[in-house]
């Protein structure tokens, strides 16, 4: 890998070297490095681009990193990654995509990640998106995440996109089984003329299933964002969605929460709040010696942390 | 240290006519003094504090800080010139941690132990608070004490506290008095405390009574406080 690719990798994984445990690094449309462990196997798909990640039942305290970097302007790819997670696992999965576009043609990565989480397993899934490069070509990412949670399993999904992605359309579909729980935390910042759309469809199908979808977003300049959160309560269950957004400059944000109770014991709540930074917050930080611009930055960074 | 010269502040009332909130106030705070401002609700005390910090701008008059005319300075410039202000109603933030706020206030990198020291001074068990967000999850009294801790951390020549006692329980209140006394005794800094509490007024060097946008009385504690406490005479300030 070259320097640009290493920088991208560092941005999305926070790692300065190859990760420990299982990993698969994809660069400019090809798998360039892979490592498996006794419990985690990674197999290239035969019928389409992508990999199968197979995690054996009972695998604990292991991690899988599957970063993707694109540094070749004009590259467009569609990748399928399927995670087959056995019963009673406890693993951390780190994905993410970094695009450096120094040219004038659009670069695009569309990833479809499917998670089949076995009974009683606990998964932490972290996904970071990052774009860089001075080229006029756009950096585009359209991730789709499908999640199936079996009985009493638990998944925590953290997604972050705070720099350099021109256009993104993200869809997360989940079905939650008996006693299972899905927590989604999304952090999103757009600036310039970027556009971001994030859609969540969660079906609470199991008895005592639950979900919490939390989005924190900041839209600056002329950027636009659309947040859609649909939760269907089909059993005795608990669902909560929350969109909290700061709007600045000429940006536009829409939040469209939708909750449907198909069972009398479904308890569903949605909350959405959009507004500019409160003037008194800026004033408070200015009384501590910060300029207005520094105060704004402090508030936005804290909000997205 | 601080001089208010013919200071006035007016806002349009509901019919658009100008309403005077601060009426041509002249006031001088001496170096290294603890001055208490008291007076009835709605008298203009908070407005005066905001004028000093630059949060409100006077309609006319000047503000001098150590001889420097700060009337046209921004909030940030005044903060950096050495003025601090503890809000009557502290601001809540999502995502700003107690430690962040104290570190910003101290203006330098602060160890966790350093930040904790300021919290302990206001009677908060630091370990429980240092990593919490300064948001809706804190009670009014906790927020108020954190606000006071940030001002102590700033350690500026002039600190203005707007009703620091509000929402603070009795035990902490006793400590708060000690904190103000210690601040006063151990540094050359000046304190301006807006308060209704006799015990705070009692540790002041000077007391200023403000009502109806005017300075109704001003002088050493020993001459003003007895009059305030004496029911009939005290009433004259509140008329
Ligand atoms: N920006 C403003 N616009 C209109 N009225 C104000 C403004 N600021 C203060 N006031 C009014 O001025 C009066 C003095 O307020 P304040 O300074 O808060 O009094 P105190 O702190 O002494 O209780 C009150 O009647 C208040 O409603
Ligand atoms: Mg007041």
């Amino acid at each position: 890998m070259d320097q640009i690719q290493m920088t991208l990798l560092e941005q999305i994984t926070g790692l300065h070297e190859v990760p420990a445990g299982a990993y698969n690094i994809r660069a400019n449309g090809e798998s360039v490095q892979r490592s498996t462990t006794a419990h985690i196997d990674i197999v290239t798909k035969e019928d389409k681009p992508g990999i199968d990640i197979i995690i054996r039942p009972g695998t604990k305290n292991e991690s899988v990193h599957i970063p993707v970097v694109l540094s070749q302007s004009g590259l467009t790819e569609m990748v399928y990654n399927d995670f087959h997670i056995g019963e009673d696992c406890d693993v951390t999965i780190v994905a993410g995509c970094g695009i450096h576009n120094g040219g004038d043609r659009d670069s695009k990565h569309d990833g479809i990640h499917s998670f089949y989480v076995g009974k009683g397993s606990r998964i932490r899934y972290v996904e970071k998106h990052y774009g860089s490069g001075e080229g006029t070509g756009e950096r585009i990412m359209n991730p789709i995440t499908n999640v199936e949670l079996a009985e009493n399993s638990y998944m925590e999904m953290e997604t972050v996109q705070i720099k350099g992605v021109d256009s993104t359309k993200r869809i997360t579909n989940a079905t939650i089984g008996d006693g299972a729980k899905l927590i989604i935390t999304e952090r999103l910042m757009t600036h310039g003329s970027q556009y971001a759309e994030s859609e969540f469809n969660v079906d609470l199908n199991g008895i005592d299933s639950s979900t919490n979808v939390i989005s924190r977003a900041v839209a600056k300049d002329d950027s636009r964002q659309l947040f859609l959160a649909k939760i269907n309560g089909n059993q005795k269950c608990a669902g909560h969605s929350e969109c909290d957004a700061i709007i600045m400059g000429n940006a536009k944000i829409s939040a469209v929460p939708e909750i449907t109770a198909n069972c009398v014991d479904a308890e569903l709540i949605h909350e959405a709040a959009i507004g500019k930074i409160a003037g008194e917050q800026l004033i408070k930080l200015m009384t501590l010696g910060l300029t207005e611009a520094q105060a704004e930055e402090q508030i936005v960074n804290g909000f997205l942390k | 240290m601080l001089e208010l010269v013919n200071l006035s502040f007016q806002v349009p009332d509901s019919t658009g006519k100008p309403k005077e909130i601060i009426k041509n106030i002249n006031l001088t705070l001496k170096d290294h003094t603890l001055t208490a401002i008291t007076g009835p609700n709605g008298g203009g005390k908070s407005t005066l504090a905001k004028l000093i910090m630059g949060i409100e701008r006077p309609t006319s008059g000047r503000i001098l800080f150590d001889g420097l005319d700060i009337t046209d300075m921004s909030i940030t410039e005044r903060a950096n010139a050495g003025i601090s202000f503890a809000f009557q109603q502290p601001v809540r933030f999502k995502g700003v941690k107690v430690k962040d706020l104290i570190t910003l206030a101290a203006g330098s990198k602060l160890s966790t132990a350093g930040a904790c020291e300021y919290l302990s001074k206001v009677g908060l068990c630091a370990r429980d608070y240092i990593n919490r967000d300064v948001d809706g999850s804190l009670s009014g009294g906790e927020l108020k004490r954190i606000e006071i801790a940030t001002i102590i951390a700033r350690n500026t020549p002039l600190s203005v506290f707007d009703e620091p006692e509000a929402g603070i329980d009795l035990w902490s209140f006793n400590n708060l008095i000690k904190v103000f006394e210690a601040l006063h005794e151990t540094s050359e800094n000046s304190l301006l405390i807006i308060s209704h509490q006799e015990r705070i007024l009692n540790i002041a060097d000077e007391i200023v009574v403000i009502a109806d946008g005017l300075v109704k009385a001003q002088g050493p504690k020993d001459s003003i406080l007895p009059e305030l406490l004496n029911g009939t005479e005290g009433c004259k300030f509140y008329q």
Side-chain angles (χ1 to χ4, degrees), chain A residues 244 281 284 287 289-290 305, chain B residues 76 92 94-95 100 147 154:
Chain A
D244 215 332
Q281 294 184 339
K284 174 64 203 176
T287 66
L290 275 65
K305 209 160 45 193
Chain B
T76 310
R92 295 175 193 270
K94 257 186 197 153
D100 299 336
E147 178 83 355
R154 289 207 77 217

Side-chain angles (χ1 to χ4, degrees), chain B residues 41-42 44-47 88 162-163 194 196:
Chain B
N41 291 320
K45 302 180 299 297
S46 292
T47 304
Q88 183 170 0
D162 196 351
E163 297 195 25
I194 298 172
H196 298 291

